[in-house]
Amino acid sequence: MKNIVDARGLSCPQPVLMVMDAFKKIEKGEILVMTDTQASKENVSRAAESKGWTVKSVQEQNQEFHLKLTRS
């Protein structure tokens, strides 16, 4: 997967802003977003859904969240 947003170590709204920038560059496809807080995971998910993206999966490992966002 080449579309990756690494927002680990950042507080909101920075992860959401990074994802919104990615949406401007990628109209459809798949984006992997990496965060490390519950608030960032929830805010990124809401922002993605509000822009027509789907949260395909969320994986939690080692206190990190990996969100796979898709849009076709």
Side-chain angles (χ1 to χ4, degrees), residues 3-23:
N3 300 312
I4 298 173
V5 175
D6 186 355
R8 293 175 290 182
L10 302 174
S11 300
C12 276
Q14 193 65 30
V16 172
L17 296 173
M18 292 171 71
V19 170
M20 298 302 258
D21 283 345
F23 290 163

Side-chain angles (χ1 to χ4, degrees), residues 25-61:
K25 297 175 187 167
I26 307 161
E27 292 185 19
K28 60 183 179 179
E30 205 169 83
I31 300 173
L32 174 66
V33 182
M34 297 183 290
T35 71
D36 54 6
T37 67
Q38 181 75 25
S40 294
K41 180 193 82 157
E42 292 173 5
N43 291 338
V44 166
S45 296
R46 274 195 298 273
E49 290 170 352
S50 75
K51 295 295 183 185
W53 287 75
T54 301
V55 180
K56 185 173 180 181
S57 67
V58 178
Q59 294 180 340
E60 182 178 356
Q61 54 186 337

